[in-house]
Each structure stands twice: as structure tokens, then as C-alpha cells.
Amino acid sequence: MTAKIIDGKQVAAAIREELKAEVQKLKARGVTPGLGVILVGDDPASKSYVTAKERACEEIGLFSDDNRLPATTSQAELLARVHKMNADPKIHGILVQLPLPKHLNESEVLLAINPDKDVDGFHPINVGRMVLGQKAYLPCTPHGVVQLLVRNGVKLKGAHVVVVGRSNIVGKPLANMLVQKNDQANATVTICHTGTKDIGYFTRQADIVVAAAGHPNTITADMIKPGAVVIDVGVNRVEDASKKAGYRLVGDVDFEAVKEKAGLITPVPGGVGPMTITMLLFNTVESAKRTTI
Ligand code: GUN
């Protein structure tokens, strides 16, 4: 069996078209949704994510306020930027690109963001709301994973989903979203992580495997039940002299082998990646809509 490929670019493009229409409606009422972006330092991967986020804003008609700060930025300077954006009515969403340089206190920065502008969904208030099943900004990557599944007709109710990885950005929120009692969840969820003795024992029982471990080849074909859905959240750079950049991107899944066993699978790149930014745009538009109610 060769798996059907889930096209993240196509799903992302469909959602972005829906958002463009929403943005036009907001603009007609005098509101341009605005995203404040803060990048500290010059980590190459973070730089390219932030550039892609700014481009995406432009593409659907959002205003973006780009703040690229040097790696030497102090905690006080960074907090001052956040406070300024909290008070700025043109900014509906605030994104501080993670990870921050080591000398900065990440939790204090996330706590400083006004929860109503926390379009990343990382503020403890939004995390709490999400866990309680209340209305909240959902973190973009896990929200994108859920949209990919739902929009590809994958049934979540009663499905056994095994999430491999327990990061605050992907694994933990995704597991929480999928156990909620609503139409886009209601799954049975197992979380595996570096403390799990035999990850394959769990993934072989899964109807859906989500790989978010951050290491190439974490998921191999012997770990997958025939016909299962495999979502690869990993973005790993591996050296490749044949590429101009000297590297290529691979996920956490051994794609070539797993695609022969799975029923549905996301590629890297072109799977989950385009969804993350799309859900950031979605949250920013939602925030702008709330100001007009
Ligand atoms: N770093 C990796 N993923 C993310 C994300 O979704 N948001 C932010 N702010 N930083 C990240």
C-alpha cells in the first residue's frame, strides 16, 4: 500500500483564501488586522520563519510590525517592546519568536503578553483556557495539525492518536486539544516521549501517529500499523552537499519507508509547515474580529 499524501500547501491555501475574505470585511469596517513580530538574535531557522510570517501577513492583507532586535537585547528592553505592543490598538496579535537567546527569561516574556493578543497561545491563561475546553487562542502548529486531519476527512472521534513528543509548543497542547469533547477532537490520546521505554509498542496501536520529537528517523515503518495516518511535525536540517544551502529539510519520520505502510502521510516540507503560519494568521484575524464586537 502506498499512502495518500496530505498536501499541507493546498489546505493552507484554502484557509488563507477564507481569511482574505474576512480581512476584506474587517477593512471595510475600518480595521486592518495587525501582527507585531519580535525576533531577538540571528538564529537562521528563526529568521527564515519570521520572514515567512511577515510575507504571509502581506499576502492576505495584514499589517505587520517587524521588530528585529540584536542578540544582546536585555530582558528590560524586550519587555518594553512587548508592553508597547500591548498598548498599541493597531496590533491585534503579538508573536515573540522562540527560542530566545539563553540570557533572556522566556516565561517572563510570554507572561508579559496581553492574553487577548497572544496569538501564539503560549500564555498560561490561554493554555489554561484550552485545557478547560474554553474559548482560547490555540497554539498554531497543533491547531494546524488538527485542521489538516479534519479537512482531509480523518475521523478523530474514538481514534487512538499517539503523539510522540511533549514540547510545550506541539506535543502537550496537541494532546490536550485532541482529548476535548468536541466535533474536532474526542480522540483517545497517548503521549510518548524520551522517557517512554518502547515507543513502537504504542505507535503500532495508533490509528494516527503524530511525530513531534525533533529528531530524524524517530518513526520507522515497523512502528506503524498498516493504513494508519502519519503526521510529521519535525523540521530537521541534515547535511547534504548536493544542495546549494549545504543541507536539506527532513521530518521525524522515515518518509520513504513509512509511506509504503501508512494510509495517509504528510511530507516534509509541504505538510504541517504551511499550516503553522496559516493558523497564526487565523488567530490574528480572530483577535481583530473580537475588537469589532
Ligand atoms: N518557534 C518554533 N515554533 C514557534 C511558534 O509557533 N511560535 C513562536 N513564537 N516561536 C516558535
Side-chain angles (χ1 to χ4, degrees):
M1 179 179 197
T2 299
K4 181 175 164 252
I5 308 290
I6 293 179
D7 185 345
K9 278 191 257 178
Q10 196 180 23
V11 177
I15 298 175
R16 288 183 198 199
E17 281 307 312
E18 295 165 16
L19 290 174
K20 262 190 203 168
E22 298 274 357
V23 172
Q24 288 317 315
K25 275 195 241 164
L26 281 164
K27 285 187 170 171
R29 295 164 71 180
V31 178
T32 299
L35 177 68
V37 181
I38 302 178
L39 169 66
V40 186
D42 35 35
D43 174 68
S46 290
K47 265 183 167 165
S48 69
Y49 288 139
V50 164
T51 302
K53 286 169 186 175
E54 290 160 356
R55 270 202 210 119
C57 281
E58 200 177 323
E59 181 199 312
I60 71 152
L62 263 58
F63 156 72
S64 74
D65 177 10
D66 309 329
N67 294 255
R68 300 199 179 208
L69 309 178
T72 51
T73 302
S74 71
Q75 182 79 3
E77 284 167 322
L78 178 53
L79 289 173
R81 289 280 173 147
V82 171
H83 291 141
K84 195 162 161 249
M85 287 183 179
N86 281 341
D88 185 346
K90 291 197 300 301
I91 303 288
H92 302 93
I94 300 172
L95 177 132
V96 178
Q97 185 65 30
L98 303 178
L100 288 169
K102 290 276 175 290
H103 69 281
L104 296 170
N105 180 339
E106 194 169 290
S107 8
E108 191 186 27
V109 173
L110 295 181
L111 208 54
I113 297 172
N114 176 349
D116 294 333
K117 295 190 177 188
D118 170 38
V119 287
D120 254 331
F122 293 163
H123 191 289
I125 287 190
N126 280 314
V127 177
R129 285 178 181 152
M130 173 195 66
V131 173
L132 295 170
Q134 298 172 1
K135 195 165 171 52
Y137 291 114
L138 299 173
C140 304
T141 302
H143 192 191
V145 169
V146 173
Q147 287 302 312
L148 270 187
L149 291 167
V150 169
R151 288 176 184 246
N152 276 278
V154 177
K155 195 166 160 240
L156 287 165
K157 186 181 177 195
H160 182 199
V161 184
V162 174
V163 178
V164 182
R166 58 172 154 192
S167 70
N168 290 339
I169 293 183
V170 186
K172 278 190 223 165
L174 179 62
N176 269 293
M177 286 161 66
L178 291 173
V179 291
Q180 296 297 326
K181 198 168 181 178
N182 67 45
D183 292 345
Q184 301 200 340
N186 227 346
T188 300
V189 181
T190 301
I191 307 181
C192 294
H193 46 73
T194 46
T196 304
K197 281 204 185 103
D198 180 0
I199 293 176
Y201 170 80
F202 296 98
T203 55
R204 276 188 287 276
Q205 299 173 50
D207 304 306
I208 302 168
V209 173
V210 181
H215 297 286
N217 291 321
T218 302
I219 304 298
T220 49
D222 59 302
M223 296 166 78
I224 296 297
K225 179 169 80 173
V229 177
V230 179
I231 304 291
D232 193 348
V233 182
V235 185
N236 306 293
R237 290 183 174 194
V238 294
E239 273 184 38
D240 185 341
S242 73
K243 301 278 175 198
K244 206 164 83 188
Y247 66 87
R248 70 192 149 87
L249 294 181
V250 299
D252 291 352
V253 174
D254 177 6
F255 181 81
E256 289 306 320
V258 171
K259 82 173 186 334
E260 299 306 323
K261 201 154 173 203
L264 263 178
I265 190 167
T266 58
V268 176
V272 175
M275 294 300 292
T276 298
I277 298 182
T278 303
M279 301 327 289
L280 174 73
L281 303 172
F282 176 89
N283 282 348
T284 308
V285 172
E286 274 302 299
S287 177
K289 273 163 60 181
R290 285 181 203 179
T291 63
T292 65
I293 298 168

